[in-house]
Every structure is written in structure tokens, then in C-alpha cells.
Amino acid sequence: MPYTYLTSEDVDKWTQSHDGGRRYGAMTTNISECFNGVLKGARGLPIAAMVEFTWSKLVAYFHDRHKKITEDLSRGKVWSDYAMEIYNKNAQKTAGHTVRNFNHETGVYQVLTPYNDHRGGGGNHSHEVHVFDRRCGCGKWQNLKIPCSHAIKVLQGLHLDATSYIDPCYSLNNAIHTYSKHFVVPKSESLWRDVRGPRWVPDP
Ligand SMILES: [Zn+2]
């Protein structure tokens, strides 16, 4: 039965192998935690109050985010704070990195990290950076879609703006679209039409 149901849907909607990279190769996410965070406080309410609570929270959520992104854009910001925080942390780690040019034509470089690294792992690692494919042997660039410290080191060495290699999903120009739809103010309950069909009453 589930199989019959799935085969009637396009494979790009439910298989990772046909999703065109939209899930960035991640099999699972914990995104439901995000909804839990949004809906916290709605638990235990009667159904109508729960719907009203969720609705007003959603409206406020869209309003606040649209306002914040609009302000950020007007101040010339390009990327989300989330992405820039990760990027800046990575950029700070490039100091001790050394780049070996491997193949300029295929965009392959080797980045070496030194001994006595303060971070975990102790340093002394070698990473293969593929600029054209936007991936690094450490796995972080392709997974987060934000250049890792090794990629930043290579891109800076090539005199490229490494921030332009951050994935467009983090751009504020795209984020604003998410919050640009408008909600309509709900009608007052006194203007609601009478219900046709069975009426639901609370269990006394
Ligand atoms: Zn890396």
C-alpha cells in the first residue's frame, strides 16, 4: 500500500537520488524541532484556541522576519547572520593554513593545517579542495554550503571573493521571498456563516 502510493508520485518528490540536490545530500533533518519551538505554548489548548494561537504566531513570525530582513537589506547586508557567523569563524581559522597548487585547470588544491592546532583533532591534516565542484575533503563545504576554512584559504589565494561561494539559499534576497506573502485579517466570529452539517460539541 505505501509503495503503491509512492509510485503514483514523481520520484523527485520523494527520493534523494532524484531530488536534484535540493536536500544537499542530507538524509534526515531535525526540522520538526523548529516547529516544536514555534508551537510551544499551544499544547493543551482547546482546538479553536490552538488554531487561533498558531495563526497569530505565524503572522507575527512572518511580520518580524520580513521587517528584520528588509532592514538588513537596506543596510547592504547580503547574507544571513547565521551564514556569516559560520563563514567568519571559518575565515578566522585560515591563518595557519598552507595551500599547494595541485591542478589549476581542474580547480583542485591541497590545504595543509599545521601541528599544535588549538582545535580538536590536533591539526596536521591535508584537505583536497575542489573549487569548481564547491567541495572539500573535510566534507563541511558541500554539507553546509558555506566555504570551510580550507576553501576560504584557496579562494583568497586566487583573489576571489570567498563570500560569493556561499550558497544562494542563505542570501537575504532569497530569504525575503519566504516572508513576502500577505496574510488577511480573519473575519470576526460574529460574521461567520452558520455551519452546515453536524455540529461538534465538547465532551462535558
Ligand atoms: Zn574543508
Side-chain angles (χ1 to χ4, degrees):
M1 170 62 188
Y3 180 75
T4 318
Y5 161 71
L6 283 173
T7 48
S8 65
E9 299 294 328
D10 298 335
V11 284
D12 62 310
K13 294 209 175 79
W14 61 277
T15 65
Q16 193 180 36
S17 56
H18 292 83
D19 75 352
R22 286 187 184 84
R23 289 177 63 98
Y24 296 148
M27 277 298 281
T28 59
T29 72
N30 210 8
I31 200 166
S32 63
E33 291 296 336
C34 161
F35 295 108
N36 281 343
V38 173
L39 299 178
K40 210 190 268 178
R43 281 175 290 202
L45 292 174
I47 291 175
M50 195 185 283
V51 171
E52 169 129 39
F53 180 94
T54 312
W55 162 263
S56 55
K57 221 154 172 198
L58 190 69
V59 172
Y61 202 92
F62 270 61
H63 170 269
D64 296 348
R65 273 158 185 72
H66 190 271
K67 187 163 169 257
K68 162 88 166 65
I69 297 167
T70 305
E71 283 166 7
D72 284 351
L73 280 168
S74 73
R75 274 191 258 123
K77 274 200 197 178
V78 178
W79 305 105
S80 71
D81 290 342
Y82 174 81
M84 282 317 288
E85 208 175 289
I86 293 171
Y87 177 88
N88 289 330
K89 262 189 203 154
N90 292 345
Q92 279 167 14
K93 292 184 203 155
T94 59
H97 293 3
T98 317
V99 179
R100 269 193 207 140
N101 294 313
F102 241 73
N103 193 327
H104 193 68
E105 265 163 46
T106 56
V108 180
Y109 301 84
Q110 184 188 23
V111 174
L112 302 156
T113 62
Y115 276 118
N116 298 328
D117 205 334
H118 292 301
R119 281 164 289 130
N124 189 36
H125 293 298
S126 162
H127 297 288
E128 200 173 311
V129 176
H130 293 252
V131 171
F132 301 151
D133 296 345
R134 304 192 175 205
R135 64 186 167 91
C136 174
C138 76
K140 290 175 189 165
W141 193 6
Q142 54 273 42
N143 194 241
L144 284 179
K145 300 281 168 179
I146 297 167
C148 57
S149 62
H150 321 110
I152 295 173
K153 184 74 182 180
V154 170
L155 293 165
Q156 286 174 344
L158 296 169
H159 304 291
L160 294 167
D161 172 13
T163 60
S164 69
Y165 284 78
I166 296 173
D167 193 90
C169 75
Y170 293 112
S171 82
L172 296 179
N173 270 324
N174 280 329
I176 195 92
H177 291 310
T178 306
Y179 301 107
S180 289
K181 293 288 180 203
H182 299 289
F183 290 96
V184 291
V185 177
K187 273 189 208 163
S188 153
E189 197 171 334
S190 60
L191 300 173
W192 291 4
R193 277 172 305 180
D194 285 336
V195 179
R196 266 185 277 162
R199 294 186 79 98
W200 295 93
V201 289
D203 182 347

